[in-house]
mmCIF file of all heavy atoms in Angstrom:
data_model
loop_
_atom_site.group_PDB
_atom_site.id
_atom_site.type_symbol
_atom_site.label_atom_id
_atom_site.label_comp_id
_atom_site.label_asym_id
_atom_site.label_seq_id
_atom_site.Cartn_x
_atom_site.Cartn_y
_atom_site.Cartn_z
ATOM 1 N N THR A 1 6.110 42.937 5.456
ATOM 2 C CA THR A 1 5.844 43.177 4.039
ATOM 3 C C THR A 1 5.389 44.624 3.890
ATOM 4 O O THR A 1 5.095 45.292 4.885
ATOM 5 C CB THR A 1 4.761 42.217 3.498
ATOM 6 O OG1 THR A 1 3.465 42.688 3.918
ATOM 7 C CG2 THR A 1 4.966 40.798 4.016
ATOM 8 N N PRO A 2 5.303 45.131 2.665
ATOM 9 C CA PRO A 2 4.859 46.526 2.496
ATOM 10 C C PRO A 2 3.467 46.791 3.058
ATOM 11 O O PRO A 2 3.158 47.919 3.456
ATOM 12 C CB PRO A 2 4.888 46.710 0.973
ATOM 13 C CG PRO A 2 5.906 45.727 0.494
ATOM 14 C CD PRO A 2 5.768 44.547 1.394
ATOM 15 N N ASP A 3 2.611 45.762 3.121
ATOM 16 C CA ASP A 3 1.219 45.969 3.527
ATOM 17 C C ASP A 3 0.917 45.547 4.959
ATOM 18 O O ASP A 3 0.007 46.091 5.588
ATOM 19 C CB ASP A 3 0.282 45.218 2.576
ATOM 20 C CG ASP A 3 0.435 45.686 1.138
ATOM 21 O OD1 ASP A 3 0.554 46.906 0.935
ATOM 22 O OD2 ASP A 3 0.443 44.834 0.234
ATOM 23 N N HIS A 4 1.638 44.558 5.482
ATOM 24 C CA HIS A 4 1.330 44.036 6.805
ATOM 25 C C HIS A 4 2.488 43.184 7.313
ATOM 26 O O HIS A 4 3.464 42.958 6.601
ATOM 27 C CB HIS A 4 0.032 43.213 6.781
ATOM 28 C CG HIS A 4 -0.049 42.258 5.635
ATOM 29 N ND1 HIS A 4 -0.981 42.374 4.610
ATOM 30 C CD2 HIS A 4 0.689 41.170 5.316
ATOM 31 C CE1 HIS A 4 -0.806 41.412 3.736
ATOM 32 N NE2 HIS A 4 0.199 40.666 4.138
ATOM 33 N N THR A 5 2.346 42.701 8.528
ATOM 34 C CA THR A 5 3.308 41.757 9.100
ATOM 35 C C THR A 5 2.731 40.351 8.999
ATOM 36 O O THR A 5 1.553 40.131 9.315
ATOM 37 C CB THR A 5 3.602 42.098 10.573
ATOM 38 O OG1 THR A 5 4.212 43.388 10.631
ATOM 39 C CG2 THR A 5 4.543 41.064 11.193
ATOM 40 N N ILE A 6 3.553 39.407 8.552
ATOM 41 C CA ILE A 6 3.150 38.005 8.487
ATOM 42 C C ILE A 6 3.773 37.277 9.668
ATOM 43 O O ILE A 6 4.974 37.384 9.919
ATOM 44 C CB ILE A 6 3.596 37.363 7.160
ATOM 45 C CG1 ILE A 6 2.856 37.991 5.979
ATOM 46 C CG2 ILE A 6 3.368 35.854 7.180
ATOM 47 C CD1 ILE A 6 3.295 37.473 4.629
ATOM 48 N N TYR A 7 2.932 36.555 10.417
ATOM 49 C CA TYR A 7 3.418 35.698 11.489
ATOM 50 C C TYR A 7 3.451 34.265 10.976
ATOM 51 O O TYR A 7 2.462 33.769 10.423
ATOM 52 C CB TYR A 7 2.496 35.778 12.707
ATOM 53 C CG TYR A 7 2.413 37.136 13.350
ATOM 54 C CD1 TYR A 7 1.358 37.988 13.058
ATOM 55 C CD2 TYR A 7 3.381 37.562 14.253
ATOM 56 C CE1 TYR A 7 1.274 39.241 13.642
ATOM 57 C CE2 TYR A 7 3.302 38.815 14.846
ATOM 58 C CZ TYR A 7 2.247 39.647 14.533
ATOM 59 O OH TYR A 7 2.166 40.890 15.116
ATOM 60 N N GLN A 8 4.595 33.599 11.157
ATOM 61 C CA GLN A 8 4.703 32.195 10.782
ATOM 62 C C GLN A 8 5.158 31.381 11.987
ATOM 63 O O GLN A 8 5.982 31.831 12.784
ATOM 64 C CB GLN A 8 5.679 32.014 9.617
ATOM 65 C CG GLN A 8 5.153 32.643 8.337
ATOM 66 C CD GLN A 8 5.907 32.206 7.097
ATOM 67 O OE1 GLN A 8 7.108 32.379 7.019
ATOM 68 N NE2 GLN A 8 5.192 31.673 6.130
ATOM 69 N N VAL A 9 4.607 30.179 12.100
ATOM 70 C CA VAL A 9 4.885 29.318 13.250
ATOM 71 C C VAL A 9 5.889 28.248 12.845
ATOM 72 O O VAL A 9 5.736 27.600 11.805
ATOM 73 C CB VAL A 9 3.592 28.663 13.764
ATOM 74 C CG1 VAL A 9 3.866 27.881 15.050
ATOM 75 C CG2 VAL A 9 2.517 29.708 14.008
ATOM 76 N N SER A 10 6.930 28.077 13.651
ATOM 77 C CA SER A 10 7.997 27.122 13.356
ATOM 78 C C SER A 10 8.236 26.204 14.550
ATOM 79 O O SER A 10 7.832 26.502 15.677
ATOM 80 C CB SER A 10 9.307 27.848 13.013
ATOM 81 O OG SER A 10 9.174 28.647 11.869
ATOM 82 N N SER A 11 8.911 25.091 14.289
ATOM 83 C CA SER A 11 9.446 24.214 15.332
ATOM 84 C C SER A 11 10.854 23.820 14.926
ATOM 85 O O SER A 11 11.237 23.956 13.750
ATOM 86 C CB SER A 11 8.585 22.965 15.508
ATOM 87 O OG SER A 11 7.349 23.272 16.113
ATOM 88 N N GLU A 12 11.645 23.328 15.882
ATOM 89 C CA GLU A 12 13.013 22.903 15.595
ATOM 90 C C GLU A 12 13.171 21.426 15.951
ATOM 91 O O GLU A 12 12.772 20.990 17.028
ATOM 92 C CB GLU A 12 14.012 23.722 16.401
ATOM 93 C CG GLU A 12 15.470 23.366 16.102
ATOM 94 C CD GLU A 12 16.441 24.184 16.929
ATOM 95 O OE1 GLU A 12 16.388 24.106 18.171
ATOM 96 O OE2 GLU A 12 17.247 24.906 16.330
ATOM 97 N N ILE A 13 13.767 20.675 15.013
ATOM 98 C CA ILE A 13 13.994 19.239 15.187
ATOM 99 C C ILE A 13 15.474 18.975 14.970
ATOM 100 O O ILE A 13 16.066 19.508 14.018
ATOM 101 C CB ILE A 13 13.149 18.427 14.181
ATOM 102 C CG1 ILE A 13 11.685 18.888 14.227
ATOM 103 C CG2 ILE A 13 13.256 16.932 14.458
ATOM 104 C CD1 ILE A 13 10.892 18.518 13.000
ATOM 105 N N LYS A 14 16.091 18.160 15.824
ATOM 106 C CA LYS A 14 17.532 17.909 15.750
ATOM 107 C C LYS A 14 17.833 16.419 15.837
ATOM 108 O O LYS A 14 17.075 15.645 16.397
ATOM 109 C CB LYS A 14 18.256 18.615 16.903
ATOM 110 C CG LYS A 14 18.298 20.114 16.826
ATOM 111 C CD LYS A 14 19.116 20.678 17.988
ATOM 112 C CE LYS A 14 19.242 22.189 17.897
ATOM 113 N NZ LYS A 14 20.058 22.739 19.012
ATOM 114 N N GLY A 15 18.995 16.052 15.276
ATOM 115 C CA GLY A 15 19.515 14.695 15.397
ATOM 116 C C GLY A 15 21.018 14.703 15.197
ATOM 117 O O GLY A 15 21.612 15.732 14.842
ATOM 118 N N ALA A 16 21.667 13.561 15.411
ATOM 119 C CA ALA A 16 23.131 13.451 15.316
ATOM 120 C C ALA A 16 23.514 12.525 14.167
ATOM 121 O O ALA A 16 23.048 11.381 14.091
ATOM 122 C CB ALA A 16 23.702 12.907 16.632
ATOM 123 N N LEU A 17 24.385 13.018 13.270
ATOM 124 C CA LEU A 17 24.898 12.219 12.159
ATOM 125 C C LEU A 17 26.136 11.440 12.591
ATOM 126 O O LEU A 17 26.861 11.851 13.504
ATOM 127 C CB LEU A 17 25.253 13.117 10.982
ATOM 128 C CG LEU A 17 24.117 13.915 10.333
ATOM 129 C CD1 LEU A 17 24.672 14.881 9.302
ATOM 130 C CD2 LEU A 17 23.074 12.995 9.713
ATOM 131 N N ALA A 18 26.385 10.337 11.908
ATOM 132 C CA ALA A 18 27.590 9.558 12.172
ATOM 133 C C ALA A 18 28.821 10.315 11.674
ATOM 134 O O ALA A 18 28.730 11.203 10.810
ATOM 135 C CB ALA A 18 27.501 8.198 11.481
ATOM 136 N N GLN A 19 29.984 9.981 12.215
ATOM 137 C CA GLN A 19 31.234 10.603 11.783
ATOM 138 C C GLN A 19 31.445 10.383 10.283
ATOM 139 O O GLN A 19 31.033 9.375 9.723
ATOM 140 C CB GLN A 19 32.408 10.026 12.567
ATOM 141 C CG GLN A 19 32.477 10.489 14.011
ATOM 142 C CD GLN A 19 33.760 10.038 14.690
ATOM 143 O OE1 GLN A 19 34.455 9.151 14.197
ATOM 144 N NE2 GLN A 19 34.075 10.650 15.822
ATOM 145 N N GLY A 20 32.124 11.348 9.660
ATOM 146 C CA GLY A 20 32.381 11.250 8.229
ATOM 147 C C GLY A 20 31.197 11.658 7.373
ATOM 148 O O GLY A 20 31.160 11.365 6.175
ATOM 149 N N TRP A 21 30.248 12.390 7.969
ATOM 150 C CA TRP A 21 29.045 12.791 7.233
ATOM 151 C C TRP A 21 29.377 13.660 6.024
ATOM 152 O O TRP A 21 28.622 13.676 5.038
ATOM 153 C CB TRP A 21 28.088 13.537 8.162
ATOM 154 C CG TRP A 21 28.631 14.806 8.746
ATOM 155 C CD1 TRP A 21 29.262 14.972 9.939
ATOM 156 C CD2 TRP A 21 28.609 16.111 8.135
ATOM 157 N NE1 TRP A 21 29.631 16.289 10.129
ATOM 158 C CE2 TRP A 21 29.235 17.017 9.040
ATOM 159 C CE3 TRP A 21 28.101 16.611 6.931
ATOM 160 C CZ2 TRP A 21 29.385 18.376 8.769
ATOM 161 C CZ3 TRP A 21 28.246 17.965 6.655
ATOM 162 C CH2 TRP A 21 28.880 18.833 7.563
ATOM 163 N N GLN A 22 30.513 14.369 6.077
ATOM 164 C CA GLN A 22 30.857 15.270 4.968
ATOM 165 C C GLN A 22 30.958 14.517 3.641
ATOM 166 O O GLN A 22 30.585 15.035 2.586
ATOM 167 C CB GLN A 22 32.173 15.991 5.264
ATOM 168 C CG GLN A 22 32.118 16.930 6.462
ATOM 169 C CD GLN A 22 32.458 16.229 7.775
ATOM 170 O OE1 GLN A 22 32.483 14.996 7.857
ATOM 171 N NE2 GLN A 22 32.752 17.015 8.812
ATOM 172 N N GLY A 23 31.485 13.293 3.673
ATOM 173 C CA GLY A 23 31.625 12.504 2.452
ATOM 174 C C GLY A 23 30.332 11.875 1.979
ATOM 175 O O GLY A 23 30.288 11.248 0.917
ATOM 176 N N ARG A 24 29.244 12.062 2.731
ATOM 177 C CA ARG A 24 27.920 11.558 2.350
ATOM 178 C C ARG A 24 26.908 12.692 2.259
ATOM 179 O O ARG A 24 25.693 12.445 2.260
ATOM 180 C CB ARG A 24 27.422 10.537 3.381
ATOM 181 C CG ARG A 24 28.346 9.378 3.640
ATOM 182 C CD ARG A 24 27.680 8.310 4.530
ATOM 183 N NE ARG A 24 27.140 8.883 5.759
ATOM 184 C CZ ARG A 24 27.849 9.113 6.863
ATOM 185 N NH1 ARG A 24 29.142 8.824 6.888
ATOM 186 N NH2 ARG A 24 27.282 9.636 7.938
ATOM 187 N N ILE A 25 27.396 13.911 2.169
ATOM 188 C CA ILE A 25 26.503 15.058 2.284
ATOM 189 C C ILE A 25 25.426 15.065 1.195
ATOM 190 O O ILE A 25 24.255 15.354 1.461
ATOM 191 C CB ILE A 25 27.319 16.378 2.296
ATOM 192 C CG1 ILE A 25 26.434 17.557 2.664
ATOM 193 C CG2 ILE A 25 28.045 16.610 0.984
ATOM 194 C CD1 ILE A 25 27.227 18.822 2.967
ATOM 195 N N GLY A 26 25.791 14.729 -0.042
ATOM 196 C CA GLY A 26 24.800 14.660 -1.108
ATOM 197 C C GLY A 26 23.804 13.538 -0.872
ATOM 198 O O GLY A 26 22.594 13.712 -1.065
ATOM 199 N N THR A 27 24.302 12.386 -0.462
ATOM 200 C CA THR A 27 23.435 11.240 -0.199
ATOM 201 C C THR A 27 22.458 11.539 0.928
ATOM 202 O O THR A 27 21.277 11.159 0.875
ATOM 203 C CB THR A 27 24.290 10.009 0.152
ATOM 204 O OG1 THR A 27 25.171 9.738 -0.946
ATOM 205 C CG2 THR A 27 23.425 8.793 0.418
ATOM 206 N N ILE A 28 22.928 12.227 1.974
ATOM 207 C CA ILE A 28 22.054 12.605 3.086
ATOM 208 C C ILE A 28 20.933 13.523 2.608
ATOM 209 O O ILE A 28 19.749 13.310 2.916
ATOM 210 C CB ILE A 28 22.880 13.275 4.204
ATOM 211 C CG1 ILE A 28 23.775 12.249 4.890
ATOM 212 C CG2 ILE A 28 21.958 13.947 5.229
ATOM 213 C CD1 ILE A 28 24.828 12.857 5.807
ATOM 214 N N ILE A 29 21.280 14.547 1.835
ATOM 215 C CA ILE A 29 20.272 15.477 1.319
ATOM 216 C C ILE A 29 19.279 14.733 0.433
ATOM 217 O O ILE A 29 18.057 14.943 0.527
ATOM 218 C CB ILE A 29 20.938 16.628 0.539
ATOM 219 C CG1 ILE A 29 21.805 17.489 1.475
ATOM 220 C CG2 ILE A 29 19.895 17.494 -0.161
ATOM 221 C CD1 ILE A 29 21.039 18.157 2.589
ATOM 222 N N ASP A 30 19.775 13.841 -0.408
ATOM 223 C CA ASP A 30 18.908 13.074 -1.303
ATOM 224 C C ASP A 30 17.858 12.287 -0.523
ATOM 225 O O ASP A 30 16.692 12.211 -0.921
ATOM 226 C CB ASP A 30 19.767 12.126 -2.151
ATOM 227 C CG ASP A 30 18.941 11.205 -3.022
ATOM 228 O OD1 ASP A 30 18.046 11.701 -3.720
ATOM 229 O OD2 ASP A 30 19.184 9.983 -2.999
ATOM 230 N N GLN A 31 18.248 11.703 0.605
ATOM 231 C CA GLN A 31 17.318 10.892 1.397
ATOM 232 C C GLN A 31 16.220 11.734 2.047
ATOM 233 O O GLN A 31 15.198 11.181 2.469
ATOM 234 C CB GLN A 31 18.087 10.131 2.475
ATOM 235 C CG GLN A 31 18.938 9.002 1.930
ATOM 236 C CD GLN A 31 19.682 8.276 3.041
ATOM 237 O OE1 GLN A 31 20.782 8.654 3.432
ATOM 238 N NE2 GLN A 31 19.058 7.242 3.568
ATOM 239 N N LEU A 32 16.404 13.040 2.109
ATOM 240 C CA LEU A 32 15.431 13.916 2.763
ATOM 241 C C LEU A 32 14.517 14.649 1.782
ATOM 242 O O LEU A 32 13.628 15.391 2.204
ATOM 243 C CB LEU A 32 16.172 14.953 3.618
ATOM 244 C CG LEU A 32 17.045 14.386 4.747
ATOM 245 C CD1 LEU A 32 17.839 15.509 5.406
ATOM 246 C CD2 LEU A 32 16.202 13.639 5.768
ATOM 247 N N LEU A 33 14.726 14.448 0.490
ATOM 248 C CA LEU A 33 13.957 15.171 -0.521
ATOM 249 C C LEU A 33 12.831 14.319 -1.099
ATOM 250 O O LEU A 33 12.933 13.105 -1.141
ATOM 251 C CB LEU A 33 14.897 15.620 -1.651
ATOM 252 C CG LEU A 33 15.921 16.690 -1.282
ATOM 253 C CD1 LEU A 33 16.845 16.973 -2.463
ATOM 254 C CD2 LEU A 33 15.233 17.979 -0.843
ATOM 255 N N PRO A 34 11.753 15.005 -1.583
ATOM 256 C CA PRO A 34 11.467 16.431 -1.488
ATOM 257 C C PRO A 34 11.255 16.854 -0.033
ATOM 258 O O PRO A 34 10.892 16.042 0.809
ATOM 259 C CB PRO A 34 10.176 16.613 -2.285
ATOM 260 C CG PRO A 34 10.046 15.394 -3.119
ATOM 261 C CD PRO A 34 10.706 14.296 -2.333
ATOM 262 N N ALA A 35 11.481 18.132 0.241
ATOM 263 C CA ALA A 35 11.312 18.644 1.601
ATOM 264 C C ALA A 35 9.886 18.400 2.083
ATOM 265 O O ALA A 35 8.925 18.719 1.383
ATOM 266 C CB ALA A 35 11.630 20.142 1.626
ATOM 267 N N GLY A 36 9.761 17.824 3.265
ATOM 268 C CA GLY A 36 8.444 17.465 3.767
ATOM 269 C C GLY A 36 7.517 18.647 3.942
ATOM 270 O O GLY A 36 6.293 18.531 3.777
ATOM 271 N N SER A 37 8.070 19.834 4.241
ATOM 272 C CA SER A 37 7.231 20.996 4.516
ATOM 273 C C SER A 37 6.495 21.496 3.282
ATOM 274 O O SER A 37 5.478 22.190 3.398
ATOM 275 C CB SER A 37 8.064 22.135 5.111
ATOM 276 O OG SER A 37 9.037 22.578 4.178
ATOM 277 N N ILE A 38 6.995 21.172 2.077
ATOM 278 C CA ILE A 38 6.310 21.604 0.859
ATOM 279 C C ILE A 38 5.705 20.415 0.115
ATOM 280 O O ILE A 38 5.313 20.524 -1.035
ATOM 281 C CB ILE A 38 7.260 22.401 -0.071
ATOM 282 C CG1 ILE A 38 8.614 21.701 -0.288
ATOM 283 C CG2 ILE A 38 7.499 23.794 0.502
ATOM 284 C CD1 ILE A 38 8.567 20.496 -1.170
ATOM 285 N N LEU A 39 5.625 19.276 0.799
ATOM 286 C CA LEU A 39 5.018 18.086 0.216
ATOM 287 C C LEU A 39 3.795 17.712 1.048
ATOM 288 O O LEU A 39 2.681 18.120 0.752
ATOM 289 C CB LEU A 39 6.038 16.939 0.174
ATOM 290 C CG LEU A 39 5.587 15.646 -0.494
ATOM 291 C CD1 LEU A 39 5.207 15.882 -1.939
ATOM 292 C CD2 LEU A 39 6.677 14.595 -0.385
ATOM 293 N N GLY A 40 3.996 16.961 2.125
ATOM 294 C CA GLY A 40 2.894 16.522 2.966
ATOM 295 C C GLY A 40 3.087 15.085 3.385
ATOM 296 O O GLY A 40 4.191 14.539 3.283
ATOM 297 N N ALA A 41 2.025 14.471 3.843
ATOM 298 C CA ALA A 41 2.126 13.107 4.356
ATOM 299 C C ALA A 41 0.809 12.357 4.099
ATOM 300 O O ALA A 41 -0.272 12.944 4.159
ATOM 301 C CB ALA A 41 2.418 13.147 5.859
ATOM 302 N N PRO A 42 0.938 11.031 3.794
ATOM 303 C CA PRO A 42 2.167 10.266 3.513
ATOM 304 C C PRO A 42 2.825 10.766 2.226
ATOM 305 O O PRO A 42 2.161 11.312 1.349
ATOM 306 C CB PRO A 42 1.668 8.830 3.348
ATOM 307 C CG PRO A 42 0.276 8.809 3.909
ATOM 308 C CD PRO A 42 -0.264 10.183 3.731
ATOM 309 N N ARG A 43 4.114 10.545 2.112
ATOM 310 C CA ARG A 43 4.899 11.168 1.055
ATOM 311 C C ARG A 43 4.414 10.831 -0.361
ATOM 312 O O ARG A 43 4.047 11.720 -1.130
ATOM 313 C CB ARG A 43 6.370 10.774 1.197
ATOM 314 C CG ARG A 43 7.147 11.655 2.152
ATOM 315 C CD ARG A 43 8.600 11.251 2.210
ATOM 316 N NE ARG A 43 9.381 12.295 2.861
ATOM 317 C CZ ARG A 43 9.884 13.349 2.255
ATOM 318 N NH1 ARG A 43 9.692 13.499 0.961
ATOM 319 N NH2 ARG A 43 10.570 14.251 2.914
ATOM 320 N N GLU A 44 4.471 9.553 -0.736
ATOM 321 C CA GLU A 44 4.270 9.200 -2.147
ATOM 322 C C GLU A 44 2.830 9.428 -2.607
ATOM 323 O O GLU A 44 2.598 9.962 -3.692
ATOM 324 C CB GLU A 44 4.704 7.752 -2.397
ATOM 325 C CG GLU A 44 6.209 7.566 -2.363
ATOM 326 C CD GLU A 44 6.953 8.580 -3.233
ATOM 327 O OE1 GLU A 44 6.571 8.751 -4.413
ATOM 328 O OE2 GLU A 44 7.898 9.212 -2.735
ATOM 329 N N SER A 45 1.858 9.025 -1.818
ATOM 330 C CA SER A 45 0.468 9.226 -2.238
ATOM 331 C C SER A 45 0.125 10.713 -2.266
ATOM 332 O O SER A 45 -0.633 11.167 -3.133
ATOM 333 C CB SER A 45 -0.487 8.463 -1.319
ATOM 334 O OG SER A 45 -0.319 8.839 0.032
ATOM 335 N N THR A 46 0.703 11.491 -1.356
ATOM 336 C CA THR A 46 0.465 12.935 -1.363
ATOM 337 C C THR A 46 1.115 13.584 -2.578
ATOM 338 O O THR A 46 0.541 14.483 -3.202
ATOM 339 C CB THR A 46 0.999 13.575 -0.070
ATOM 340 O OG1 THR A 46 0.293 13.029 1.041
ATOM 341 C CG2 THR A 46 0.823 15.080 -0.092
ATOM 342 N N ARG A 47 2.290 13.109 -2.936
ATOM 343 C CA ARG A 47 2.960 13.669 -4.120
ATOM 344 C C ARG A 47 2.120 13.437 -5.377
ATOM 345 O O ARG A 47 1.978 14.333 -6.214
ATOM 346 C CB ARG A 47 4.345 13.033 -4.271
ATOM 347 C CG ARG A 47 5.197 13.674 -5.342
ATOM 348 C CD ARG A 47 6.618 13.158 -5.275
ATOM 349 N NE ARG A 47 7.462 13.799 -6.264
ATOM 350 C CZ ARG A 47 8.777 13.648 -6.330
ATOM 351 N NH1 ARG A 47 9.392 12.890 -5.445
ATOM 352 N NH2 ARG A 47 9.492 14.271 -7.243
ATOM 353 N N ARG A 48 1.537 12.259 -5.503
ATOM 354 C CA ARG A 48 0.673 11.975 -6.665
ATOM 355 C C ARG A 48 -0.577 12.843 -6.629
ATOM 356 O O ARG A 48 -1.037 13.344 -7.666
ATOM 357 C CB ARG A 48 0.305 10.489 -6.695
ATOM 358 C CG ARG A 48 1.481 9.564 -7.008
ATOM 359 C CD ARG A 48 1.013 8.157 -7.300
ATOM 360 N NE ARG A 48 0.409 7.523 -6.131
ATOM 361 C CZ ARG A 48 1.089 6.810 -5.235
ATOM 362 N NH1 ARG A 48 2.408 6.647 -5.374
ATOM 363 N NH2 ARG A 48 0.468 6.253 -4.208
#
């Protein structure tokens, strides 16, 4: 940034989708929203 360097910590998580995932791409994204990283846990009580 103009004033300093920001360090952010990340991790990587992977999994395998079933064949034909392209035809379910919207449905897959829908099942993962809202993004957990900007929500919290547990999902519903934290959202409220």
Side-chain angles (χ1 to χ4, degrees):
T1 78
D3 300 319
H4 46 246
T5 297
I6 294 177
Y7 297 98
Q8 293 194 303
V9 186
S10 298
S11 289
E12 182 181 60
I13 310 160
K14 290 183 177 181
L17 297 173
Q19 287 188 344
W21 61 267
Q22 295 89 346
R24 305 188 307 276
I25 190 168
T27 301
I28 290 168
I29 295 299
D30 175 50
Q31 288 180 272
L32 299 174
L33 292 176
S37 63
I38 48 73
L39 184 60
R43 275 182 166 274
E44 288 310 311
S45 57
T46 298
R47 188 170 182 172
R48 291 192 294 270

